[in-house]
Amino acid sequence: MSLLGTQIIASEFSSVCVQSFAAVNPATGIALEPQFCEATRDDVNSAATAAAAAFDLYRKLPSLQRAAFLESIGEELMALGEDLLARAHEETALPTPRLKGELSRTVNQLQLFAQEIRQGAYLGVRIERALPERALGPKPDLRVMQIPLGPVAVFGASNFPLAFSVAGGDTASALAAGCPVVVKGHPAHPGTCELAGQAVIRAVRKNQMPPGVFSLLQAESTEVGAALVQQPEIKAVAFTGSLTGGRALFDLACSRSEPIPVYAEMGSVNPVFLLPQIIGDEGDLLAVALAESLTLSVGQFCTAPGLIVVIKGAATDAFLLQIRTCLAEKPPGIMLHDGIKQNFLYKLDRLSSIDGVWQFGRPRPLLDGCLVNADLLQTDAKTLLANPTLTEEVFGPSAMVVVCDSRAELLSVAESLQGQLTATVHGTDRELDRFCDLFDILERKAGRLVVNGFPTGVEVCAAMHHGGPYPATTDSRSTSVGTAAIKRFLRPVCYQNFPQELLPEPLRGQGGLNSGV
């Protein structure tokens, strides 16, 4: 497939180009063709205006039409096949098998949301019929349902160029809700973004959707994203990325004359608590599995385990030595781009310079390009409790081991944590029962709790919650994965004493409650 390198505004390619940038292959350091046009403020205005113009037309379409549109996007993505996978591999250095799995996940998400809106439960319809003769006074006819918020700004993530990008879960859930989407593509993989954008606009035309339902803006500068969030036509924001980036967008959205919700997923250290008996029983197996989870995709998952909490003992010492051995045997991995590598190295250096923190063995040599080695730091509970920075996320293949003197110290470490996407506990049945108060703490800290497993790997289904208290996300009630993600882009409207012919279709009829209160 050919790449044009321009913006997609209202499902059409723009012809204006003032300034350009290029993607860089992280495996070779070579710039890739073509050059991509940097979006301008005029492009942002045009995309937002077109989305607002399309909103009423799109939101009033029957759910069956929107469902067919979502499925059509998935079909067009699959039709891109090897072209899409090859470009994504060039721009990210992610292995092709991983990208194939991610493409399947992306298409499955679109199909899942199509099924969700066909079923209609997401509308949250509730009907209470009138009681004109009620003794306490007449009760009106009341009917409530969820309606779309309005145009949504979606920010593509660096670590999932398909599933959390142009046609990923945020876009799928917003379109399913009835909201037009303006996507800010990630500058590290603009070609992948454009190919996915081409798939979306083919689906727009095939299903005769309003053109303004989709736009794609490409830019290296942060000014374009900031301008998009401040557009008055934009009514919600979805973001996956760093705490710095997510918080900046959140603050901009709150400073608007009309503040809007920002659903930012900003990562976490995803603590893993390993209790003494299971370490004694299964330490070697746990060390291998933990090293695999920690280095999966070069540690570039928002659910990667970055904090390992244990209680000291001989079995624990052997377990930690085994993890170190497993990590030392791992070959260097290629990070997504140089900016991520430099941030990874900077944070490791900063943490390892704190008194009471040490690295396992001597630091390995600095590698060229975007290559990095896995790393492991260690501290004790007292040092961690005195230095909250030790619980900050380091995005990449590393973890901080915290050795506690006692059960009480382990619970204190858990209590000290900020909000997390996940928290994991490994223990025997008897240990899990004895540490039930640990789960009481972790329920307050994380959006997903895992027992005797690992947090990497997020199942896309109705029961998944991928979110958590701040700073993991800006809204702990929301999820960016699973069918509940659609709720982010809806709001309730109650219709009182409406004639049947003026009611939205889902609220018509005489069903519902008649409670008499």
Side-chain angles (χ1 to χ4, degrees), residues 298 331-335 341 344-345 367-374 396-397:
V298 200
I334 303 172
M335 300 202 83
K341 173 183 175 175
F344 172 68
L345 296 177
L367 300 172
D368 293 334
C370 293
L371 284 169
V372 296
N373 283 309

Side-chain angles (χ1 to χ4, degrees), residues 147-475:
I147 70 166
L149 280 179
V152 173
V154 170
F155 286 74
S158 63
N159 58 338
F160 282 89
L162 301 174
F164 274 89
S165 190
V166 173
D170 290 332
T171 295
S173 54
L175 291 175
C179 300
V181 169
V182 180
V183 178
K184 165 62 174 64
H186 197 282
H189 49 256
T192 307
C193 288
E194 184 184 315
L195 288 174
Q198 290 180 16
V200 177
I201 63 176
R202 281 194 291 274
V204 167
R205 293 164 185 167
K206 183 191 233 180
N207 292 271
Q208 299 181 316
M209 293 290 116
V213 77
F214 176 77
S215 293
L216 169 62
L217 302 174
Q218 306 258 41
E220 278 191 312
S221 71
T222 58
E223 287 81 3
V224 170
L228 181 58
V229 171
Q230 292 173 303
Q231 283 294 129
E233 296 89 352
I234 297 298
K235 302 302 179 185
V237 176
F239 170 87
T240 298
S242 69
L243 174 59
T244 301
R247 183 56 195 254
L249 296 179
F250 178 82
D251 290 344
L252 280 172
C254 290
S255 70
R256 290 174 31 148
S257 58
E258 177 203 359
I260 58 173
V262 174
Y263 299 106
E265 188 261 278
M266 301 175 291
S268 66
V269 294
N270 305 297
V272 178
F273 295 81
L274 296 118
L275 304 181
Q277 187 59 57
I278 201 164
I279 288 178
D281 294 348
E282 303 176 23
D284 287 349
L285 293 175
L286 285 172
V288 172
L290 186 54
E292 288 296 320
S293 181
L294 190 156
T295 58
L296 185 63
S297 197
V298 200
Q300 297 170 116
F301 282 162
C302 53
T303 54
L307 195 71
I308 302 167
V309 186
V310 294
I311 296 175
K312 70 178 181 180
T316 296
D317 292 341
F319 167 70
L320 296 180
L321 180 60
Q322 180 66 13
I323 295 178
R324 173 189 169 189
T325 301
C326 291
L327 292 179
E329 293 171 351
K330 294 285 182 184
I334 303 172
M335 300 202 83
L336 291 160
H337 57 78
D338 186 64
I340 287 182
K341 173 183 175 175
Q342 296 306 322
N343 192 53
F344 172 68
L345 296 177
Y346 167 75
K347 288 194 171 184
L348 281 181
D349 286 344
R350 188 177 65 146
L351 294 181
S352 60
S353 68
I354 295 173
D355 288 342
V357 176
W358 58 280
Q359 290 177 295
F360 279 100
R362 289 183 295 179
R364 285 184 273 178
L366 186 64
L367 300 172
D368 293 334
C370 293
L371 284 169
V372 296
N373 283 309
D375 210 337
L376 202 64
L377 305 178
Q378 182 172 326
T379 190
D380 56 61
K382 293 179 179 63
T383 300
L384 179 132
L385 293 171
N387 295 273
T389 57
L390 294 178
T391 63
E392 293 178 2
E393 180 187 32
V394 178
F395 190 70
S398 74
M400 176 72 69
V401 175
V402 184
V403 180
C404 304
D405 286 338
S406 63
R407 178 184 188 278
E409 272 198 347
L410 182 142
L411 295 177
S412 294
V413 168
E415 192 66 67
S416 74
L417 296 174
Q418 292 184 297
Q420 307 291 326
L421 293 172
T422 74
T424 299
V425 180
H426 284 266
T428 64
D429 289 345
R430 182 173 295 180
E431 280 182 313
L432 294 174
D433 185 58
R434 289 206 316 269
F435 278 80
C436 59
D437 43 357
L438 174 60
F439 291 101
D440 291 339
I441 296 170
L442 296 180
E443 279 181 334
R444 293 188 273 107
K445 302 292 183 177
R448 175 163 61 106
L449 304 183
V450 182
V451 169
N452 292 340
F454 294 94
T456 41
V458 181
E459 185 71 24
V460 181
C461 64
M464 175 52 65
H465 182 83
H466 188 59
Y470 185 85
T473 69
T474 48
D475 189 335

